[in-house]
Amino acid sequence: APGETLTLLSPTDSVYMESVKAGETCVVTFDYRIREDAATGQYDLTLAMDYADSKGAVYTGTGNARLSVRQPTEVQFDPLLLPEQMEVGDVIQVQVQAMNLGRSKVLNVRAQLAADGLKPQGTLFIGDIEAGNMAVGSTQVTVGGMVEGDSPYGVTEGTVTFYYEDEAGTEQSVEMPFSATISSPFTGQPSEPEDEPGQWWVIMSVVGVLLCCCVAVLVARKVRKVQI
């Protein structure tokens, strides 16, 4: 076996059998330890066999047994980055970050966001990540009113699901919850001041006085014309 990658744990690398009858099967087991930094791939174990038939004739044979080595995947995802307060009609940019903590490459890393009131433009695609590296994916999200509750505004609960594949094509997923607050686009706008009680009567009184003055002026002018 490749000495740098596999270490034999069994007491010996050979086994002696007295005989094997016609039609019988004999299973031979060897224990190995694979190094933690072994590269993912296939390794050849060399097999050699010596035997003799019932008449004493000796034969030899060699061959290879192929062993597949695959490193476990370990991917860490950061929480989804969202504004604390969002208004209906906003279009925001969201992003997710992933770090490959394993010793092999991970493929097709991506995330899907689902929440009432939030409509992502598409999948947050991150791509392939080499061992020990990190990458970021982003997309735009349109904020709308919630439809599942009594009010279109308030706290919405959602999930972001991360997907990735190892080098053998096996897909794995991680689900992470999140929450966000959706508010009305009119929140915080100053409201028009309401008329105070009695203000209407004050205005009408002023208008009435002005009308009286105008009438008095007109009457005075007519009287003057008559006297002349």
Side-chain angles (χ1 to χ4, degrees), residues 3 14 22 33 39 42 105 121 190 192 199 224:
S14 62
R33 175 184 290 116
Q42 292 185 332
K105 185 179 181 180
Q121 189 177 28
E192 296 183 359
Q199 185 177 3
R224 183 178 301 175

Side-chain angles (χ1 to χ4, degrees), residues 99-143:
M99 178 176 292
N100 184 1
L101 302 180
R103 298 181 180 273
S104 60
K105 185 179 181 180
V106 290
L107 311 173
N108 297 323
V109 185
R110 58 203 185 278
Q112 290 183 348
L113 184 150
D116 186 18
L118 301 182
K119 185 179 180 180
Q121 189 177 28
T123 299
L124 289 84
F125 188 74
I126 301 174
D128 301 343
I129 308 177
E130 296 287 348
N133 291 348
M134 75 175 180
V136 176
S138 63
T139 189
Q140 288 186 337
V141 174
T142 302
V143 182

Side-chain angles (χ1 to χ4, degrees), residues 214-224:
C214 292
V215 171
V217 171
L218 293 175
V219 171
R221 286 181 178 178
K222 287 182 178 182
V223 170
R224 183 178 301 175

Side-chain angles (χ1 to χ4, degrees), residues 160-225:
V160 54
T161 305
F162 301 94
Y163 299 92
Y164 62 95
E165 303 168 10
D166 60 18
E167 292 183 324
T170 303
E171 185 178 83
Q172 301 182 49
S173 63
V174 176
E175 190 174 280
M176 187 179 299
F178 71 91
S179 62
T181 301
I182 299 177
S183 60
S184 168
F186 306 105
T187 301
Q189 293 187 2
S191 58
E192 296 183 359
E194 298 182 357
D195 294 337
E196 297 180 359
Q199 185 177 3
W200 174 253
W201 297 107
V202 174
I203 295 175
M204 293 302 295
S205 300
V206 173
V207 173
V209 171
L210 292 176
L211 289 175
C212 291
C213 292
C214 292
V215 171
V217 171
L218 293 175
V219 171
R221 286 181 178 178
K222 287 182 178 182
V223 170
R224 183 178 301 175
K225 288 181 179 180

Side-chain angles (χ1 to χ4, degrees), residues 83-98:
E84 294 183 359
Q85 192 84 9
M86 299 178 294
E87 294 183 356
V88 173
D90 287 347
V91 178
I92 60 176
Q93 190 82 11
V94 299
Q95 68 177 25
V96 291
Q97 180 174 283

Side-chain angles (χ1 to χ4, degrees), residues 15-17 19-20 24-30:
V15 173
Y16 175 79
M17 292 168 287
S19 63
V20 180
E24 286 187 346
T25 300
C26 181
V27 178
V28 178
T29 302
F30 296 97

